[in-house]
Amino acid sequence: MRHISVVAGPASVDLASKISEKLGSELVVPEIKVFPDGESKIRIPDVADTCVIVQSTYPPVDTHLVQALMMAKRCRDGGAEVCMVIPYLAYARQDRPFIEGESVTISLIAKLFAAAGAQHVMTVEIHSQLGMSYFAPLGIENVSSTRLLADHARTMNLNKPIAISPDAGGADRVKEFAHHLKCDTFTLKKSRDRATGEVKIEEPDLDCRGRDALLVDDMISSGGSIMAAAKVLRKKGASKVYALCAHALLLDDAPKKIAEAGVDGIVGTNSIPNEYAKVDLSPAIAEVLTSRYRS
Ligand code: R5P
């Protein structure tokens, strides 16, 4: 049988440990040193035939990213087949130049992983198909978190729930979520000022009176999208508003501002290990890894 080890990147030790338990594989925790100037050094004394390296690239984004590349290089140089599990894939939103002269950074990230020796990439709820397409030469799988989020929503004691996407980009995701939760769905119309980042949401023709609204998104970063959507839904009479997402980055004082905008609760996954990580991604990731390596 192929010897697989799950390598726990410093950003995702708990998630890696849960994945290794489910796969019945050895867990390897690399020795990591971060020097005062911010450089990281990583040591993995022994590598298996196949290394599944788990490292989410949430802030500090560039540190976690370089650590992921270093682990890929070390395992590949040691002769392993390398599969990267990067639940939150930083830079995925930079999938096209929105303003003339901008770099398509996610295409660079794909090339960096290939150069480091990664042979396969797995991520969760990637921002766009376009971003994903840059990883095609490597092979990429995008694991959905919507079923797990819907399972969690089922425990929330909701009143006539309606699942809402804050924007057109999340329309398919919210439909999948609503299918699992067996509830209604609606997609809002959002626009963002590319220079200032300001988010606007059109007031929809929607009656939310007496209903709990569940905003479903791939990620919450500054919280601007969720705040704008929550305000609109409150105006439309929603009794409660919850925000559910795969990647609850929640930068700076986003949780406070989101609560002030009328959101009653935030649910994230352990893609970002913080107090909102109420949903464990390991069953969905382990299922894909099992069909890849254990069947
Ligand atoms: C945008 O299209 C994404 O799906 C998210 O809605 C967005 O990136 C979240 O960012 P923020 O919380 O800063 O609005």
Side-chain angles (χ1 to χ4, degrees):
M1 195 160 112
R2 185 200 283 258
H3 179 199
I4 300 179
S5 67
V6 175
V7 179
S12 301
V13 176
D14 184 59
L15 177 59
S17 152
K18 289 189 166 83
I19 293 170
S20 81
E21 265 170 43
K22 293 192 171 61
L23 288 180
S25 299
E26 172 199 20
L27 179 72
V28 171
V29 181
E31 291 169 30
I32 302 270
K33 198 168 173 180
V34 180
F35 292 96
D37 65 357
E39 276 184 8
S40 299
K41 189 170 184 177
I42 283 192
R43 180 168 179 258
I44 305 172
D46 301 305
V47 298
D49 303 330
T50 300
C51 291
V52 173
I53 301 169
V54 187
Q55 171 92 334
S56 217
T57 52
Y58 58 84
V61 164
D62 293 342
T63 297
H64 286 154
L65 183 63
V66 173
Q67 289 171 345
L69 292 164
M70 291 164 96
M71 289 185 283
K73 172 151 175 48
R74 162 62 191 127
C75 292
R76 189 75 191 121
D77 287 351
E81 181 181 329
V82 175
C83 172
M84 297 302 304
V85 176
I86 314 170
Y88 171 62
L89 181 59
Y91 294 103
R93 287 181 293 178
Q94 294 185 36
D95 59 0
R96 69 201 81 189
F98 292 97
I99 301 175
E100 200 194 337
E102 286 181 349
S103 152
V104 182
T105 311
I106 195 63
S107 72
L108 168 66
I109 303 297
K111 287 187 182 126
L112 287 174
F113 276 108
Q119 288 147 302
H120 194 74
V121 172
M122 194 176 292
T123 187
V124 175
E125 217 70 68
I126 193 168
H127 178 67
S128 70
Q129 292 293 319
L130 179 60
M132 197 165 146
S133 69
Y134 293 107
F135 290 82
L138 269 176
I140 182 166
E141 266 145 320
N142 180 34
V143 177
S144 169
S145 63
T146 48
R147 179 186 281 273
L148 296 171
L149 289 171
D151 287 346
H152 181 87
R154 221 168 272 124
T155 68
M156 286 170 63
N157 193 22
L158 298 164
N159 186 26
K160 290 193 272 173
I162 177 163
I164 312 272
S165 172
D167 55 42
D172 289 344
R173 180 181 305 115
V174 84
K175 279 183 201 145
E176 194 188 323
F177 176 91
H179 170 76
H180 291 309
L181 191 59
K182 299 188 175 31
C183 69
D184 295 335
T185 176
F186 190 86
T187 294
L188 297 168
K189 286 189 184 140
K190 175 177 106 177
S191 61
R192 190 189 286 271
D193 183 316
R194 289 288 163 195
T196 65
E198 196 199 341
V199 171
K200 283 198 181 124
I201 292 198
E202 266 181 39
E203 199 171 311
D205 182 15
L206 178 72
D207 186 358
C208 290
R209 280 174 297 178
R211 304 190 73 168
D212 292 345
L214 303 177
L215 282 162
V216 181
D217 211 344
D218 56 340
M219 63 188 290
I220 307 174
S221 187
S222 67
S225 306
I226 289 299
M227 287 188 281
K231 282 179 193 156
V232 160
L233 294 172
R234 283 288 184 192
K235 208 168 164 190
K236 291 287 159 186
S239 333
K240 293 212 163 154
V241 178
Y242 296 98
L244 296 88
C245 69
H247 313 295
L249 291 171
L250 296 166
L251 304 175
D252 305 325
D253 55 351
K256 185 171 168 272
K257 290 194 290 192
I258 288 171
E260 284 165 3
V263 174
D264 296 277
I266 301 170
V267 175
T269 76
N270 53 357
S271 157
I272 317 290
N274 58 20
E275 64 177 290
Y276 304 96
K278 294 175 186 153
V279 171
D280 174 22
L281 291 171
S282 68
I285 294 172
E287 189 184 322
V288 180
L289 288 169
T290 300
S291 66
R292 184 171 178 82
Y293 295 114
R294 293 282 194 225
S295 55

